Amino acid sequence: MLNSAATDVSAANGGTEATAAGPPMLAVRGLTVEFAAMAGAAVTAVRDFDLTIQPGEIFGLVGESGAGKTTLARALLRLPPEPGRIAAGEIRLAGRNLMELNETEMQRLRGRDLSMIVPNPRAELNPLLTVGEQIATMTRVHLRVPSREARRMALDMLRAVQIPDPERRMGAFPHEMSGGMAQRIVIAIALICSPKFIVSDDATSGLDVTVQAQILELLRRLVLDRGSAMLFITRDIGITAHFCDRVAVMYDGEVMELAAREDFFFRPRHPYTVMLMAAFSHNQRLRRMWSRPEALPGAAEPAGACRYVARCPLAQDRCRAEHPALRELALGHFARCHFPVRP
Ligand SMILES: Nc1ncnc2c1ncn2[C@@H]1O[C@H](COP(=O)(O)OP(=O)(O)OP(=O)(O)O)[C@@H](O)[C@H]1O
Ligand SMILES: [Mg+2]
């Protein structure tokens, strides 16, 4: 189990510098994750990635399937999907450089300071232990809380994640719970130690819309109450509009655009962001104009090109010749594009 016993997408997104209150909760610099290929060049799933998230912030990361979201999420815990490896970069959690820790130190940190929430909660839970036991184990092991106190904290946590009849549910097994309830248990496990940082990877995607909304609201409140911060990863750009303080769009391993929520949704600048938003629109003409789904990410593009060039309706010669940098086009609003939709 993964949790077992603002500006810098360069100096971009919130500043890697420490604020008066302390260092950012998460500061990622130049993170690159590769998968070795059986033949030919390695696949780079996350490219020279920068990200800064401040305490109390919920940061949304959106991108279509294959963009590299899960690879990034797992790399933050230094557990990239096999056979991936972190080829370069730095990950700082509240100022501490995780790349300098050994595996034992990382194991201590996962679930205590840094937690991950994933979909398919049943696969995450141990079918042989009661949910109360699984939650209590976290504080017993990570925080060395005595057994009775660990049970009391687990019960409080069941209440906090709004499990009905929590005393009785302490003794329930995962298979006795609905999907939504099991996801609440996974959240309880991820949050009971009040981690500094939580990565949620597509965590609510399998749930009914109404259950999803409740769980997002719950997650938001718990993160804020505990002074944590969260990277919220999803394919559903609509969710981030309600739920996240800042939003970034990832495409083929890179951030294409990053801005505060209002700016992001009301003044998008990257053609890819506009395309994603158009895909949700009921206006067919708009959808046709912006989508070129036939091209695959990065397919046959020269290394120096924009990764989005094959699908971009606004692409010009320069986009094929020169890889664009992530630039700050307005205060706190970054886009990786030579010809943004708005200057
Ligand atoms: N285990 C693996 N082995 C080899 N390549 C992988 C592996 N996992 C991911 N990749 C590569 O990394 C890219 C990014 O995959 P990743 O799972 O991170 O995408 P994602 O954004 O999470 O997609 P989804 O929305 O479908 O979950 C993939 O296109 C694939 O090329
Ligand atoms: Mg994924």
Side-chain angles (χ1 to χ4, degrees), residues 240-253:
T240 61
H242 304 287
F243 185 61
C244 299
D245 303 307
R246 284 189 299 154
V247 182
V249 168
M250 185 174 187
Y251 183 81
D252 200 11

Side-chain angles (χ1 to χ4, degrees), residues 30-145:
L31 188 66
T32 300
V33 186
E34 292 177 350
F35 292 99
M38 293 290 250
V43 173
T44 308
V46 176
R47 299 165 190 279
D48 197 13
F49 204 95
D50 294 339
L51 184 66
T52 303
I53 301 180
Q54 301 296 346
E57 188 172 36
I58 296 184
F59 189 101
L61 182 67
V62 188
E64 61 196 69
S65 195
K69 304 181 299 294
T70 296
T71 307
L72 169 73
R74 299 195 52 131
L76 295 180
L77 280 83
R78 280 192 37 204
L79 290 173
E82 293 283 334
R85 66 173 195 102
I86 297 177
E90 187 180 274
I91 303 163
R92 284 184 184 272
L93 180 67
R96 191 173 183 200
N97 186 355
L98 302 189
M99 298 310 287
E100 287 172 355
L101 304 187
N102 63 34
E103 185 47 33
T104 313
E105 290 168 319
M106 275 309 295
Q107 274 171 15
R108 258 187 240 134
L109 192 124
R110 291 185 199 115
R112 186 190 64 192
D113 300 321
L114 178 59
S115 282
M116 185 155 169
I117 309 172
V118 298
N120 192 5
R122 283 179 210 291
E124 280 298 293
L125 296 171
N126 184 334
L128 304 177
L129 293 178
T130 64
V131 298
E133 182 55 28
Q134 293 185 58
I135 303 171
T137 300
M138 295 299 289
T139 51
R140 259 206 337 265
V141 171
H142 283 303
L143 307 180
R144 302 194 187 285
V145 169

Side-chain angles (χ1 to χ4, degrees), residues 18 27 75 108 127 139 159 185 198 247 331:
R108 258 187 240 134
T139 51
R159 285 196 193 98
I185 302 296
I198 297 135
V247 182
L331 189 65

Side-chain angles (χ1 to χ4, degrees), residues 209-236:
V209 179
T210 48
V211 176
Q212 177 167 305
Q214 287 165 8
I215 289 194
L216 292 180
E217 187 44 48
L218 179 69
L219 202 50
R220 182 176 175 83
R221 200 156 38 73
L222 289 171
V223 167
L224 298 183
D225 285 354
R226 281 152 202 268
S228 306
M230 178 159 69
L231 177 64
F232 183 81
I233 295 175
T234 177
R235 258 171 279 173
D236 182 350

